[in-house]
Amino acid sequence: MEPSMPSHNNNIPTTSYPAITRQAAGFIDGILTDVMYCSFSDKIMVTITQRGRLAQWINVPLDVSNPSATDQYLPSATGDDSLLPMIHLTPKTLLGGATQERETLGQLYAAQIASLIASENPQEKRTVVIGLGLSKVEASREDFYNTIDLVRKCL
């Protein structure tokens, strides 16, 4: 079904686009960084680009059929531990990540973003697809937190 079009009397369409999209931008280590969040009916897509680059794709299923049975016995995360990714999430590189360092960094970002999405909405079961285009292979703690904060602004 296609979205309805406004009629000549300037009525606002009653159906929305199929995907909710939000964007944020900021400077991370002096480099303009764009974040886009798209919420599709079957997946959530988050892209993080620097200098118009998009070189790595990772997916993280949130609908884990059997999360670790021990998760229920672990204390809930507080303080600095609340920033750690959820242990049952398993990022998988789909494309890119040509070096071990880039793949490791990408999977760290993907696990953290998926954890952020799951903690914002514990009932969320869609797969999260993350597209990364970071200029540097390494990220300082401050750069990592600032990037995750940009993503948080889009949720």
Side-chain angles (χ1 to χ4, degrees), residues 47-97:
T47 60
I48 303 171
T49 61
Q50 293 180 323
R51 299 185 174 127
R53 173 187 172 146
L54 197 54
Q56 186 177 9
W57 289 93
I58 302 165
N59 80 335
V60 185
L62 295 182
D63 185 17
V64 179
S65 59
N66 188 16
S68 173
T70 60
D71 285 353
Q72 61 185 329
Y73 302 111
L74 295 174
S76 61
T78 59
D80 286 342
D81 288 343
S82 66
L83 300 175
L84 294 174
M86 296 176 176
I87 59 173
H88 68 278
L89 298 176
T90 54
K92 179 181 177 188
T93 301
L94 301 173
L95 298 169

Side-chain angles (χ1 to χ4, degrees), residues 6-141:
S7 64
H8 292 290
N9 62 5
N10 293 330
N11 287 337
I12 297 174
T14 57
T15 58
S16 63
Y17 261 60
I20 296 169
T21 304
R22 297 185 191 109
Q23 294 179 303
F27 285 91
I28 307 291
D29 195 25
I31 302 169
L32 180 61
T33 305
D34 294 302
V35 174
M36 185 174 67
Y37 168 93
C38 292
S39 178
F40 295 95
S41 62
D42 61 338
K43 291 183 178 48
I44 296 170
M45 182 180 75
V46 177
T47 60
I48 303 171
T49 61
Q50 293 180 323
R51 299 185 174 127
R53 173 187 172 146
L54 197 54
Q56 186 177 9
W57 289 93
I58 302 165
N59 80 335
V60 185
L62 295 182
D63 185 17
V64 179
S65 59
N66 188 16
S68 173
T70 60
D71 285 353
Q72 61 185 329
Y73 302 111
L74 295 174
S76 61
T78 59
D80 286 342
D81 288 343
S82 66
L83 300 175
L84 294 174
M86 296 176 176
I87 59 173
H88 68 278
L89 298 176
T90 54
K92 179 181 177 188
T93 301
L94 301 173
L95 298 169
T99 65
Q100 184 64 40
E101 294 83 11
R102 190 168 293 281
E103 185 164 344
T104 300
L105 182 64
Q107 290 190 359
L108 174 64
Y109 273 106
Q112 188 65 45
I113 291 166
S115 293
L116 180 63
I117 290 169
S119 66
E120 294 282 325
N121 181 3
Q123 283 71 41
E124 183 61 69
K125 300 299 178 202
R126 293 176 286 177
T127 296
V128 180
V129 179
I130 293 101
L132 293 174
L134 304 174
S135 294
K136 298 179 181 179
V137 176
E138 69 283 335
S140 70
R141 177 179 282 204

